[in-house]
Amino acid sequence: MSENINLVDSSRASSELGDNNYRRLDYLDQLESESIHIFREVAGQFERPALLFSGGKDSIVLVHLALKAFRPGKFPFPLVHIDTGHNFQEALDFRDQFAQAIGEKLIVRNVADTIREKNLTEQKGKFASRNALQTFTLLDTIEEFKFDACIGGARRDEEKARAKERIFSVRDEFGQWDPKLQRPELWNTYNGKIDKGENVRVFPISNWTELDIWNYIRRNKIELPSIYFSHDREVLEYQGQLVATSEFIQLEEGDKVAIKKVRYRTVGDMTCTAAVESNASTIDDIIKEIIATKTSERGETRIDDRVSEAAMEDRKKGGYF
């Protein structure tokens, strides 16, 4: 990975907003400016924030926004990854290389350690996922480092439960979320006041869409893991979805396995994230696909969201990001 992270003057967006001599901001400039403002609000209001970084496209965009918000200084927070042990290796390799390239601290905590230490029961079945269990590891990590704010890459177009979130979303002392107890956010004013033991989940790209993310990646020439682009992969065809074969998937007699040309719209665990058939090998190709599709990325590719209509909301109430 190149160490020459593509940046513009971090003050450009805020300067343009107040100077009529600058060109009029387009929608990406406006989204970027809002996100940078949110990052700086986090730095100003919280003592021990963290940025959750998985090596996925949304968290990569978050880090680039943070670079624009804080360079040439260091980040006022570490990067944190809750590793389920079922992640795609391409994303993990990118995570490590990117953190090293920008010279920022990366903290990794493993769900497998939590399972062992707390004697947790893992999910059984064909696509046994650790998604629910990673909440325990996340809450333990928040307690370990006394984080009072955790920055994440959730977007409101991903899933309807996430559309209920505020940009500053308060969690109680047990890490739980109540969608009925959300604070108003008027005129870009964010209230980060919390009591001891509480924390805030912060979503700087909450107002972005999947298409916005890809247009921003194209504009800023942002590098991504190869998994987002078309490649040949052995997949299991199951109920209309293509799930990568791995040691975590229990193949059964009669399962249809084939090598197909696929890419990933979102990158979660290998056990619960499906690929989509695609020949899109460039960002322009991907943008054309997204414009043509009528299905959200999670709706098309996340098996764990299909457990029930309220699957994501139930996990979020328990502390899931």
Side-chain angles (χ1 to χ4, degrees):
M1 175 182 294
S2 170
E3 295 187 10
N4 296 320
I5 304 301
N6 192 302
L7 297 176
V8 299
D9 179 359
S10 63
S11 64
R12 173 179 62 84
S14 57
S15 296
E16 288 176 334
L17 284 174
D19 190 338
N20 291 330
N21 293 324
Y22 282 86
R23 65 180 175 82
R24 184 175 179 178
L25 300 180
D26 69 11
Y27 80 101
L28 284 179
D29 292 321
Q30 294 174 31
L31 289 172
E32 178 188 81
S33 180
E34 177 188 54
S35 298
I36 289 173
H37 170 66
I38 293 166
F39 268 111
R40 290 173 178 168
E41 282 292 304
V42 171
Q45 294 194 44
F46 298 99
E47 295 181 2
R48 300 182 68 85
L51 192 160
L52 298 191
F53 178 66
S54 65
K57 69 180 186 310
D58 296 318
S59 64
I60 292 169
V61 167
L62 278 182
V63 174
H64 276 268
L65 289 166
L67 287 165
K68 293 188 178 187
F70 301 114
R71 284 295 190 256
K74 298 284 287 183
F75 288 176
F77 41 71
L79 308 180
V80 175
H81 185 216
I82 306 302
D83 187 349
T84 64
H86 293 170
N87 300 99
F88 289 91
Q89 192 61 46
E90 295 97 323
L92 294 178
D93 290 344
F94 190 97
R95 176 201 70 185
D96 295 339
Q97 294 166 12
F98 190 40
Q100 183 178 15
I102 64 174
E104 295 293 343
K105 181 179 181 180
L106 173 65
I107 297 170
V108 178
R109 290 296 179 266
N110 297 290
V111 174
D113 294 335
T114 308
I115 293 171
R116 183 177 60 257
E117 293 164 4
K118 293 183 179 294
N119 196 28
L120 300 177
T121 300
E122 292 199 58
Q123 190 180 90
K124 307 297 182 184
K126 192 178 194 68
F127 302 109
S129 171
R130 288 179 173 175
N131 257 6
L133 299 182
Q134 68 178 309
T135 297
F136 292 94
T137 310
L138 173 60
L139 297 179
D140 285 350
T141 304
I142 290 172
E143 175 61 26
E144 177 185 355
F145 293 97
K146 307 300 180 185
F147 292 135
D148 53 2
C150 292
I151 304 164
R155 304 187 324 270
R156 287 175 180 164
D157 72 319
E158 288 180 274
E159 200 276 341
K160 59 186 178 182
R162 285 182 164 165
K164 297 180 180 181
E165 293 274 16
R166 296 294 192 265
I167 289 175
F168 273 28
S169 183
V170 178
R171 299 304 198 267
D172 66 20
E173 63 270 27
F174 302 106
Q176 297 180 330
W177 172 67
D178 186 344
K180 296 180 181 180
L181 296 177
Q182 296 292 295
R183 297 169 177 174
E185 292 177 338
L186 306 176
W187 306 293
N188 295 326
T189 300
Y190 307 108
N191 181 1
K193 185 176 180 180
I194 54 175
D195 293 324
K196 184 177 181 180
E198 296 178 336
N199 68 87
V200 174
R201 308 291 172 85
V202 181
F203 305 106
I205 58 172
S206 185
N207 289 327
W208 299 48
T209 66
E210 181 186 13
L211 183 59
D212 296 334
I213 291 291
W214 280 102
N215 280 326
Y216 190 78
I217 288 168
R218 175 172 62 181
R219 171 184 286 189
N220 289 273
K221 298 181 174 59
I222 294 174
E223 295 182 53
L224 294 174
S226 59
I227 196 170
Y228 284 107
F229 301 92
S230 180
H231 59 284
D232 291 328
R233 187 179 288 266
E234 185 180 84
V235 293
L236 166 66
E237 301 179 53
Y238 184 80
Q239 295 184 357
Q241 293 187 309
L242 303 176
V243 184
T245 58
S246 70
E247 60 185 299
F248 313 119
I249 303 295
Q250 297 181 17
L251 293 178
E252 302 169 351
E253 186 176 352
D255 280 342
K256 296 181 179 179
V257 175
I259 295 178
K260 291 184 176 291
K261 191 170 289 292
V262 300
R263 70 175 186 86
Y264 285 83
R265 292 178 67 184
T266 182
V267 177
D269 279 4
M270 298 183 73
T271 54
C272 62
T273 307
V276 295
E277 282 198 82
S278 174
N279 291 313
S281 58
T282 68
I283 292 176
D284 285 341
D285 292 338
I286 291 172
I287 289 173
K288 290 176 184 177
E289 281 191 357
I290 294 170
I291 291 172
T293 189
K294 296 182 179 180
T295 308
S296 71
E297 60 186 83
R298 292 192 69 96
E300 183 175 19
T301 65
R302 293 303 290 266
I303 298 170
D304 50 333
D305 286 350
R306 297 189 175 190
V307 176
S308 73
E309 288 190 0
M312 170 64 82
E313 183 165 329
D314 291 340
R315 292 200 301 273
K316 288 174 71 65
K317 287 179 178 178
Y320 184 81
F321 210 86

